Amino acid sequence: MKIYENTGSKDTRSGFGDGLTELGKKNENVVALCADLTGSLKMNAFADNHPERFFQVGIAEANMMGIAAGMTIGGKIPFTGTFANFSTGRVYDQIRQSIAYSDKNVKICASHSGLTLGEDGATHQILEDIGLMKMLPGMTVINTCDYNQTKAATLAIAEHHGPVYLRFGRPKVANFTPENGTFEIGKAVMLQEGTDVTIIATGHLVWEALEAAKTLNEKGISAEVINIHTIKPLDEAAIIASAKKTGCVVTAEEHNYLGGLGESVARTLAMHHPTAQEFVATQDTFGESGTPAQLLEKYGLNAENIALKAEKVISRK
Amino acid sequence: MADTQHLKDLVTQVRRDIVRQVHAVSSGHPGGSLGCTEFLVTLYNEVMDHDPSFNMDGINEDLFFLSNGHISPVFYSVLARAGYFPVSELSTFRKLNTRLQGHPTTHEGLPGVRIASGSLGQGMSVAIGAAQVKKLNGDDKTVFTLHGDGELQEGQIWEAAMYAAANKVDNLISTIDVNGQQIDGSTDQVLALGDLRNKFEAFGWDVITVHKGNDVDAIITGMKEAMDLTRKGKPVCILLHTEMGNGIDFMMGSHAWHGIAPNDEQLAEALRQNPETLGDY
């Protein structure tokens, strides 16, 4: 079994901030917009280094999305920054018409996604954003798992022409993917090969999936772990191949089970290789206040529950 | 004043294009289109420096964004007659597989359109982005927008208005089509807009009023005044007072023709009032 080491916990938003700082230096067409959350999004260094390319729009997210769409006209690559809730639900129609339908090269970068935003509670903890964004034609949807991967994704999306939703979070989480690794949009990452069950995870739950695989291994269960950082376009081939090998699947995400990664996986399997599947996700509820760890435990978004679901799905084979 | 007969001839022809497009598919928005015909004809043929060979980035060109996308019939006619695409394509308006969608879009690749519009209130934000990039690129051209007055009920307009003034986006001229009408009735009946001059001035804009918004000469004078105000630290707003349905007597003075098409007899009467000048499509 492959052992992944946490090289020091870091927040994924800092991966975005550091990626943006690097982009600012190497690509003069990159511009950044923020709706009064520069510190939270870790955009300060970009703002300090390139004041002429940084646009503080105030608490006006709808206007920010429109301005970003307009900035693509003339060749710029705008990166917008605010919380996931205000990056999606609040401005859905602006994204739909002015960005997605208008084919604009805007990178919508969303921090504080999911329950792990923590104490601020349900008003800020969007659990529907993956669904909202993946339904938009032409939108690429990415949910990164750690600092290194978020930084790599930030660099990669600047090279990709078209609208992108990049989702990351607030808390410090294990950092275990390679430093300065390559990021291939739409390509699943095989983290652990196994034969009894496939665990397909995205975002913060990828580390939890690896922890679950360790527990399962101690029980003599061989779990395959796949990191799906790109929910759309989905790496269907990787999912189908693994399902054919193990015969059952657990999906894990910090999102509602309606509309998330799990549903995309289920659709893929239903069409190509019907397979038993269990969902580790929130069950059509809003979140609440609490520490990230407390919330993940209460809503079953942790290694323990992934392992339980794995055993359950194996029994359904 | 220079001779503007060619613009007036074009206005008459564009009016014919508008009612013929809408009549052909029994759908579309003739009222606001007719009200803004003189403005758009003047903007594209007298004011803007633009290239009909069309490049999305529009470097070193003036740019126009239509925010009230439902007046697509006038926009399409003015673009076609400026050379962006063949006028014959106007016959495809709102038909299956057309580039001339019900509301303008970039999605089908129609030259001259740089943003989709139709869901109201978004165009000023887009124009601000394009205007700020012009400054970043060292491009000294101007960005124009057009909005309906009813559209000002959308909150995003005021987010954009605040931002444009605070950031001295002074290469932007936003025109408001003040026709006092919207779908459910007059703007006063639906949601009164209050004093628009005071509102925009309070937001930090320079404001020009064109009282005769269906008079080509008055529009030219107003636009010159507006151009003179650009690059002086403030965005510029034009309050363009127009008559919905202008040029076709039975469509004027009411909101009734906001979104309905003329029947055969009404079309014939509309065309009789606007004789062919430059050739129908």
Side-chain angles (χ1 to χ4, degrees):
Chain A
M1 184 171 189
K2 222 168 160 177
I3 298 299
Y4 287 88
E5 196 185 335
N6 176 8
T7 58
S9 292
K10 285 185 176 182
D11 45 359
T12 50
R13 57 183 164 145
S14 285
F16 164 69
D18 291 346
L20 189 66
T21 303
E22 197 171 314
L23 272 179
K25 290 172 186 159
K26 70 182 220 188
N27 189 336
E28 64 178 18
N29 282 327
V30 168
V31 296
L33 303 88
C34 189
D36 197 30
L37 288 168
T38 312
S40 295
L41 268 287
K42 306 291 181 187
M43 296 168 90
N44 309 69
F46 184 97
D48 291 344
N49 294 346
H50 315 285
E52 75 293 351
R53 284 193 271 144
F54 178 76
F55 300 88
Q56 171 61 267
V57 299
I59 311 165
E61 296 83 6
N63 189 39
M64 176 166 74
M65 292 303 167
I67 292 174
M71 284 183 166
T72 65
I73 300 165
K76 299 302 175 208
I77 307 170
F79 281 64
T80 67
T82 182
F83 290 172
N85 186 32
F86 313 132
S87 292
T88 58
R90 190 178 176 95
V91 291
Y92 196 65
D93 187 52
Q94 284 77 16
I95 295 173
R96 182 177 181 275
Q97 174 171 287
S98 291
I99 295 175
Y101 186 44
S102 292
D103 310 307
K104 297 306 184 205
N105 191 25
V106 175
K107 314 305 170 186
I108 301 162
C109 301
S111 182
H112 293 55
S113 63
L115 289 173
T116 51
L117 170 103
E119 293 80 352
D120 279 346
T123 55
H124 289 50
Q125 291 160 332
I126 193 162
L127 297 164
E128 309 91 47
D129 54 327
I130 290 174
L132 287 169
M133 290 296 109
K134 81 177 186 183
M135 281 196 294
L136 287 171
M139 182 67 71
T140 294
V141 179
I142 296 170
N143 185 20
T144 47
C145 67
D146 71 356
Y147 169 92
N148 285 341
Q149 191 174 68
T150 309
K151 186 178 173 189
T154 303
L155 296 170
I157 62 176
E159 303 295 320
H160 167 85
H161 190 87
V164 174
Y165 179 59
L166 177 63
R167 179 192 210 239
F168 43 89
R170 172 175 183 244
K172 288 191 165 75
V173 293
N175 189 31
F176 60 96
T177 65
E179 195 179 356
N180 302 318
T182 56
F183 187 91
E184 197 176 338
I185 294 170
K187 184 78 179 159
V189 180
M190 176 67 76
L191 290 174
Q192 185 78 56
E193 299 216 31
T195 53
D196 298 327
V197 60
T198 301
I199 303 171
I200 300 173
T202 191
H204 290 150
L205 293 202
V206 175
W207 177 255
E208 298 294 323
L210 288 170
E211 292 290 294
K214 273 195 225 168
T215 310
L216 291 165
N217 187 52
E218 286 162 13
K219 293 184 171 184
I221 297 168
S222 165
E224 181 146 299
V225 180
I226 298 175
N227 173 8
I228 292 282
H229 51 62
T230 308
I231 292 148
K232 183 184 172 188
L234 189 65
D235 189 344
E236 297 194 339
I239 291 165
I240 295 162
S242 183
K244 281 181 177 168
K245 180 165 70 163
T246 65
C248 62
V249 169
V250 175
T251 52
E253 60 194 305
E254 197 181 337
H255 189 272
N256 194 356
Y257 80 105
L258 296 172
L261 166 69
E263 273 197 354
S264 289
V265 170
R267 177 191 49 77
T268 301
L269 294 174
M271 288 176 70
H272 302 284
H273 186 72
T275 306
Q277 179 180 344
E278 290 288 330
F279 296 73
V280 172
T282 57
Q283 300 299 307
D284 203 18
T285 66
F286 292 102
E288 63 180 291
S289 294
T291 67
Q294 288 170 336
L295 290 163
L296 291 180
E297 187 183 353
K298 176 167 180 177
Y299 289 85
L301 307 183
N302 55 13
E304 190 183 354
N305 197 41
I306 293 170
L308 283 173
K309 291 281 173 104
E311 293 189 65
K312 184 178 176 194
V313 81
I314 288 168
S315 74
R316 291 174 52 202
K317 274 208 256 189
Chain B
M1 178 79 56
D3 180 22
T4 52
Q5 189 56 45
H6 66 292
L7 294 176
K8 290 166 186 163
D9 288 346
L10 189 49
V11 164
T12 307
Q13 189 63 48
V14 169
R15 283 184 198 142
R16 290 178 68 88
D17 291 348
I18 291 166
V19 290
R20 291 183 68 233
Q21 286 176 84
V22 172
H23 170 264
V25 288
S26 298
S27 83
H29 297 79
S33 293
L34 291 161
C36 292
T37 299
E38 292 85 354
F39 173 74
L40 282 175
V41 163
T42 305
L43 184 68
Y44 269 84
N45 296 281
E46 195 70 24
V47 178
M48 281 184 11
D49 181 3
H50 63 106
D51 179 3
S53 66
F54 189 64
N55 178 290
M56 178 58 82
D57 284 336
I59 306 281
N60 294 321
E61 283 185 70
D62 292 328
L63 303 180
F64 170 71
F65 294 95
L66 180 69
S67 192
N68 50 333
H70 58 275
I71 67 165
S72 56
V74 63
F75 189 31
Y76 294 152
S77 171
V78 167
L79 286 175
R81 293 195 179 272
Y84 279 86
F85 55 87
V87 290
S88 59
E89 199 168 343
L90 296 175
S91 67
T92 70
F93 174 68
R94 286 189 170 227
K95 291 179 180 168
L96 192 63
N97 299 323
T98 185
R99 299 197 293 179
L100 281 62
Q101 290 288 302
H103 293 78
T105 174
T106 60
H107 205 64
E108 314 299 331
L110 186 69
V113 182
R114 290 191 165 87
I115 197 79
S117 60
S119 177
L120 296 170
Q122 301 185 27
M124 191 184 286
S125 304
V126 174
I128 287 167
Q132 289 198 291
V133 164
K134 283 211 174 289
K135 291 191 174 197
L136 267 183
N137 288 343
D139 173 345
D140 64 359
K141 295 297 181 185
T142 304
V143 178
F144 297 85
T145 63
L146 178 63
H147 310 266
D149 50 358
E151 186 182 4
L152 303 184
Q153 292 159 357
E154 292 281 7
Q156 189 181 341
I157 291 280
W158 303 100
E159 293 182 9
M162 188 185 293
Y163 178 95
N167 289 281
K168 300 184 169 52
V169 184
D170 57 4
N171 52 345
L172 173 68
I173 300 177
S174 286
T175 298
I176 314 300
D177 173 22
V178 185
N179 62 22
Q181 307 290 339
Q182 58 188 113
I183 295 178
D184 276 357
S186 71
T187 50
D188 279 345
Q189 287 170 330
V190 177
L191 180 61
L193 301 172
D195 187 327
L196 289 180
R197 169 176 282 273
N198 279 346
K199 281 190 165 78
F200 274 97
E201 284 180 346
F203 270 73
W205 290 53
D206 277 326
V207 180
I208 288 167
T209 301
V210 177
H211 292 286
K212 292 162 78 178
N214 295 112
D215 180 308
V216 165
D217 298 313
I219 294 167
I220 292 173
T221 303
M223 295 304 291
K224 277 190 180 145
E225 203 183 328
M227 290 295 281
D228 287 343
L229 283 170
T230 59
R231 289 158 195 86
K232 292 190 171 141
K234 291 183 178 185
V236 181
C237 170
I238 299 175
L239 298 174
L240 182 80
H241 289 264
T242 71
E243 178 78 48
M244 208 171 184
N246 188 58
I248 296 171
D249 58 9
F250 60 89
M251 291 188 179
M252 295 166 67
S254 152
H255 66 278
W257 289 88
H258 168 84
I260 64 163
N263 63 27
D264 293 348
E265 292 74 34
Q266 289 162 334
L267 174 70
E269 176 56 22
L271 295 178
R272 193 191 64 73
Q273 293 176 21
N274 292 279
E276 195 171 348
T277 54
L278 302 171
D280 285 340
Y281 63 83

